[in-house]
Amino acid sequence: MIDIQLTGLVKEFEVGKRILDGFSLQIEEGERVGLLGRNGAGKTTIFRMMTGQVRPDEGTIAVAPGKRLGLISQIPVYPEGYTVRDVLDTAFAPLHAMEKELAGLAARMGENADPAVMARYDQLTAAFELGGGYDTETRLNKVCNGLGIGADMRSRPFDALSGGEKTRINLARLILEDTDILLLDEPTNHLDLNATEWLEGYLERFKGTVLAISHDRWFLDKVVRRVAEIQDGRAELYAGNYSFYVEEKEKRYQERLKQYEKEQAKIAQLEAAAEQMRMWAFKGNDKQYKRAINMERRIERMRTTDRPTKERRLAARFGEREFHGDEALVVTELKKSFGARTLFDHINLEVTGGERIALLGDNGTGKSTFIKLIMGEETPDSGSIYLGPSIRIGYLPQIIHFDRPDRNLVDTMLYAQNCTTQEARDRLASFKFRGEDVFKEVSALSGGEQSRLRLCMLMDSRINLLILDEPTNHLDIDSREWIEEAVEEYGGNLLFVSHDRYFIEKFATRVWMLENGQITDFRGTYTEFRAFRERQEALSRSACSRRGSKVSDSARCLEPPKNGAADPSCRSGLSPLLTTAPQPKRGGTKELEKQVRAAERAVEKAEVRLDELSQEAEEAASDYLRLQEIYKEREAVEDELAHLYTQWEELAAELEEAKG
């Protein structure tokens, strides 16, 4: 069954400049399709056409009847005063309407209830249960936990959120609505790694259809199974994920280039023959003249293939400064707080020459603050940061700032660099700023172009420590690849913050994971780091299982290596970087054993009560009011059980440590 049919779409916003020129795409039910193209190619315009915000000049759009379509980038306007929780609850509006009607029907049901009322009540109860009416709170918590929407955020006014936060809430709302067709416009832009991986897992289980615009190449590899690229206003289709698309696109380019060169060789041969015939005709051979004319017409008919083009690679590299000494960067007992909140404490790190380090962590853990401390833009509460005497830093911040955005590109280079006008233009040209573009004001550049300009300015500096804070954020794929080309040629120390897993995997040879106020230091690639974490979690689950523990989403049993020791099965290893200060003991070993047993009994008691409540819910399936009471109690018991699990884990860990 076809879910989406786009046929012959044409759209121009300026006379004579068509963004779409006969774009056609058919998407079957359940397909996952990635929509690619340069910025301005018309990707978002297609989404806006599908949601009725923009009308095509020509062509048709058809969505399967009865299918619900949701667009992530489209954030509805909500009534004044709506909290995040209110917005999320709009996903359950049909269920809330049924719930209200059920309550009204229940009030009318007595000893002599109207059979029609009872029939309606039974019918509505079945529909309510089938629609997941009794599980809305569980579903909401799972989605919110996956996307990092904590309880404190749910109570905040929706209007007070940032654009990125609103996008994340809207994504959660659409997931809760169980939409049939998801249109995802850069869904990972405002998500950290954990939330992005959660979304990927959700989309793997999602039964509906997905059409995604994304510059996140790892996400595209994981999620999409077909790619539609907008080329000159039309769709170029590829039957695979992003990696397949890259290889296939290069293959098609080479085939077209070969065909073009073959045609050009044939044309050259015919032109030479036609020229010879004209010479013969000049000598009075009219027959040869007619043949020459016919051959030239044939040549013109052959001139149908344009030479295929591809983006030119950057023609510049960093001017590197030689590194002298054993230590490039040393961090000792570093601590940073904002008010009562401590971002991190007791951070100890050492970097030698030539290392490439990815600084990872959830949003808000302090990654950018850590970078600012190194740059001297923030002051630590305690501890120190030492830079080697020969270290010279090149810094590309997350938010690009120019002192004089009103200057054009050439003047910006002249004022910032010690160079001539011609040298400035040559350097700009090497970063694909050519022709009249060099006289644009900096303020007129896109985010990707500003990053490219800042990199161009860095290239002239002789540096040996390059620090990048989210270098690919909000950039299209072409711009990401331009930055990667520049970084790939750089041989000095590299420290970068990024959520772009494709970029991380390409460059990181060491990973710093910032979480819970500490940094885990892993020497290896991102893939090796993920494998290590998975092994650690598997070992923890196994240990919990041996102790008879049940692991829930809200209380995971994780046992970090003792004293920071490396997992022997991991060849890269985990540095003994940080150790948590020992906590005061609750008593001797025997006392701890008693407390562990008591905690286990409390967990078992709560689990038994949960089972009882599940049984009671089945028995009270037709009693809506009783069901409400049961579900309310069950939610309270689940919360208590999560707390008991955490308490039990802490006691069990102390007992093991006490036993030595």
Side-chain angles (χ1 to χ4, degrees):
M1 178 179 175
I2 299 172
D3 264 1
I4 300 171
Q5 180 77 59
L6 310 177
T7 308
L9 298 182
V10 174
K11 187 66 184 179
E12 59 180 42
F13 293 103
E14 295 181 35
V15 178
K17 291 186 178 180
R18 288 189 171 184
I19 293 178
L20 302 176
D21 190 13
F23 182 91
S24 297
L25 177 63
Q26 178 178 297
I27 302 176
E28 301 287 334
E29 182 180 28
E31 270 200 291
R32 276 95 169 105
V33 179
L35 184 59
L36 304 186
R38 297 178 186 173
N39 284 347
K43 303 183 296 295
T44 300
T45 298
I46 289 172
F47 275 17
R48 295 177 70 194
M49 287 179 176
M50 294 177 66
T51 56
Q53 298 175 73
V54 173
R55 293 180 63 85
D57 299 334
E58 297 177 28
T60 59
I61 298 170
V63 177
K67 291 295 181 77
R68 293 168 297 174
L69 187 136
L71 172 62
I72 291 302
S73 66
Q74 182 184 10
I75 302 175
V77 177
Y78 296 100
E80 187 178 353
Y82 255 43
T83 65
V84 168
R85 176 57 193 253
D86 293 331
V87 170
L88 295 173
D89 273 341
T90 62
F92 305 124
L95 290 171
H96 290 327
M98 281 192 272
E99 193 174 26
K100 186 176 180 181
E101 186 179 349
L102 280 169
L105 292 170
R108 294 165 57 189
M109 291 167 60
E111 292 183 5
N112 300 315
D114 185 342
V117 173
M118 296 183 67
R120 174 60 179 163
Y121 184 88
D122 291 342
Q123 179 189 33
L124 204 58
T125 299
F128 186 76
E129 185 173 0
L130 185 64
Y134 298 120
D135 298 318
T136 56
E137 196 66 23
T138 301
R139 286 167 56 197
L140 186 143
N141 284 331
K142 283 184 178 179
V143 172
C144 286
N145 289 339
L147 292 174
I149 304 170
D152 57 335
M153 179 178 279
R154 293 178 223 177
S155 62
R156 291 168 60 189
F158 182 75
D159 287 342
L161 301 182
S162 67
E165 289 170 330
K166 286 181 178 178
T167 300
R168 189 148 41 105
I169 302 305
N170 191 44
L171 173 59
R173 179 187 61 81
L174 282 178
I175 290 173
L176 290 169
E177 281 183 357
D178 221 7
T179 309
D180 301 301
I181 301 171
L182 281 175
L183 304 182
L184 308 179
D185 194 350
E186 293 295 348
T188 65
N189 260 4
H190 301 286
L191 304 182
D192 55 35
L193 288 176
N194 286 333
T196 298
E197 289 176 354
W198 181 91
L199 176 60
E200 290 167 352
Y202 169 81
L203 292 174
E204 283 181 8
R205 301 185 299 273
F206 179 59
K207 303 298 183 185
T209 301
V210 176
L211 179 59
I213 297 170
S214 181
H215 298 140
D216 185 333
R217 294 156 292 180
W218 193 292
F219 175 84
L220 289 170
D221 261 351
K222 289 275 289 183
V223 172
V224 309
R225 299 294 174 265
R226 191 155 66 99
V227 168
E229 182 180 26
I230 304 176
Q231 286 275 23
D232 300 322
R234 296 174 177 267
E236 180 102 7
L237 302 178
Y238 299 84
N241 63 7
Y242 178 78
S243 292
F244 174 86
Y245 151 79
V246 171
E247 292 181 9
E248 181 65 16
K249 184 174 181 178
E250 177 62 22
K251 192 182 298 181
R252 292 183 190 182
Y253 168 79
Q254 294 298 337
E255 288 173 355
R256 288 170 180 165
L257 181 61
K258 186 177 179 181
Q259 178 64 26
Y260 172 80
E261 291 173 343
K262 184 178 178 181
E263 284 185 9
Q264 292 302 304
K266 185 65 175 175
I267 287 171
Q269 182 183 4
L270 291 174
E271 284 177 334
E275 181 65 24
Q276 182 64 55
M277 289 175 188
R278 279 188 172 276
M279 289 179 64
W280 289 334
F282 183 72
K283 296 176 180 179
N285 191 332
D286 292 341
K287 187 176 181 180
Q288 293 296 337
Y289 177 76
K290 289 180 181 178
R291 289 184 64 187
I293 294 296
N294 289 334
M295 188 170 289
E296 286 167 353
R297 288 173 180 167
R298 181 184 171 192
I299 290 169
E300 287 306 312
R301 287 195 298 270
M302 290 179 67
R303 297 185 192 276
T304 57
T305 304
D306 293 329
R307 182 182 180 89
T309 59
K310 63 192 299 188
E311 284 292 331
R312 294 171 60 186
R313 292 179 64 88
L314 286 174
R317 57 174 295 164
F318 288 99
E320 294 174 31
R321 182 176 182 176
E322 189 175 351
F323 171 71
H324 298 284
D326 298 326
E327 299 164 336
L329 171 69
V330 178
V331 179
T332 306
E333 289 297 310
L334 192 69
K335 177 182 179 180
K336 182 61 181 177
S337 304
F338 287 101
R341 183 188 175 208
T342 299
L343 284 179
F344 40 77
D345 195 3
H346 299 298
I347 303 294
N348 294 279
L349 299 164
E350 183 177 311
V351 179
T352 56
E355 297 198 78
R356 298 190 162 206
I357 304 165
L359 176 59
L360 310 182
D362 289 345
N363 291 339
T365 53
K367 303 184 299 297
S368 291
T369 300
F370 186 81
I371 296 296
K372 288 177 180 178
L373 287 168
I374 295 174
M375 293 301 302
E377 296 177 6
E378 293 280 355
T379 304
D381 298 342
S382 60
S384 64
I385 296 174
Y386 167 80
L387 291 170
S390 66
I391 288 295
R392 182 169 179 180
I393 296 177
Y395 177 41
L396 185 68
Q398 184 175 155
I399 300 173
I400 305 296
H401 172 74
F402 291 90
D403 293 334
R404 290 290 302 275
D406 57 314
R407 285 180 179 152
N408 64 36
L409 275 63
V410 172
D411 286 345
T412 298
M413 290 291 291
L414 290 174
Y415 278 95
Q417 313 291 322
N418 183 21
C419 63
T420 65
T421 301
Q422 188 58 51
E423 287 172 338
R425 295 200 64 168
D426 289 344
R427 290 172 190 171
L428 288 168
S430 70
F431 272 76
K432 303 183 182 181
F433 294 113
R434 301 185 180 92
E436 293 302 312
D437 287 346
V438 301
F439 299 113
K440 283 183 180 178
E441 289 188 359
V442 170
S443 59
L445 300 180
S446 68
E449 288 170 332
Q450 289 194 9
S451 293
R452 194 152 31 107
L453 177 58
R454 179 63 75 188
L455 266 179
C456 179
M457 296 166 71
L458 279 179
M459 286 292 179
D460 187 48
S461 306
R462 295 184 62 80
I463 62 174
N464 48 26
L465 173 55
L466 178 60
I467 298 179
L468 309 174
D469 192 355
E470 295 288 2
T472 62
N473 213 18
H474 304 296
L475 303 187
D476 60 25
I477 290 175
D478 282 344
S479 296
R480 292 176 186 220
E481 290 177 348
W482 292 333
I483 288 178
E484 288 169 0
E485 288 170 23
V487 174
E488 201 162 16
E489 295 296 322
Y490 170 69
N493 291 288
L494 174 66
L495 172 61
F496 64 92
V497 175
S498 182
H499 292 146
D500 184 343
R501 292 161 294 173
Y502 200 95
F503 188 92
I504 298 168
E505 178 62 25
K506 188 166 187 173
F507 294 113
T509 57
R510 184 175 176 183
V511 174
W512 290 347
M513 175 58 77
L514 177 55
E515 54 190 353
N516 302 320
Q518 299 181 353
I519 287 183
T520 299
D521 185 10
F522 180 88
R523 296 179 185 273
T525 66
Y526 178 63
T527 295
E528 291 169 336
F529 173 71
R530 283 166 54 87
F532 167 73
R533 292 292 285 253
E534 287 170 5
R535 285 196 298 272
Q536 289 296 99
E537 291 183 11
L539 288 170
S540 297
R541 287 193 295 271
S542 175
C544 290
S545 177
R546 288 196 301 272
R547 294 199 298 266
S549 163
K550 291 186 178 180
V551 182
S552 70
D553 287 339
S554 56
R556 299 172 64 193
C557 180
L558 295 176
E559 296 179 344
K562 293 180 181 178
N563 301 321
D567 173 5
S569 65
C570 175
R571 67 179 178 84
S572 299
L574 178 67
S575 300
L577 178 64
L578 292 173
T579 56
T580 305
Q583 300 296 316
K585 297 290 187 291
R586 291 185 172 96
T589 302
K590 289 186 178 179
E591 180 61 27
L592 279 171
E593 287 176 345
K594 289 180 183 179
Q595 293 182 31
V596 168
R597 287 195 294 272
E600 288 173 347
R601 287 194 296 271
V603 167
E604 290 170 3
K605 184 177 179 181
E607 290 173 341
V608 168
R609 182 54 186 154
L610 270 184
D611 292 339
E612 291 173 352
L613 288 169
S614 297
Q615 182 64 35
E616 290 176 23
E618 291 179 12
E619 294 170 355
S622 60
D623 186 344
Y624 170 74
L625 296 177
R626 174 60 184 144
L627 269 177
Q628 290 293 93
E629 294 175 1
I630 292 171
Y631 277 100
K632 187 174 181 180
E633 184 181 351
R634 190 171 76 175
E635 183 181 350
V637 175
E638 285 175 343
D639 289 342
E640 176 63 18
L641 184 58
H643 172 70
L644 290 171
Y645 279 145
T646 303
Q647 192 176 59
W648 176 83
E649 288 173 29
E650 291 174 354
L651 288 166
E654 284 192 19
L655 178 58
E656 286 193 8
E657 186 178 347
K659 288 181 176 179

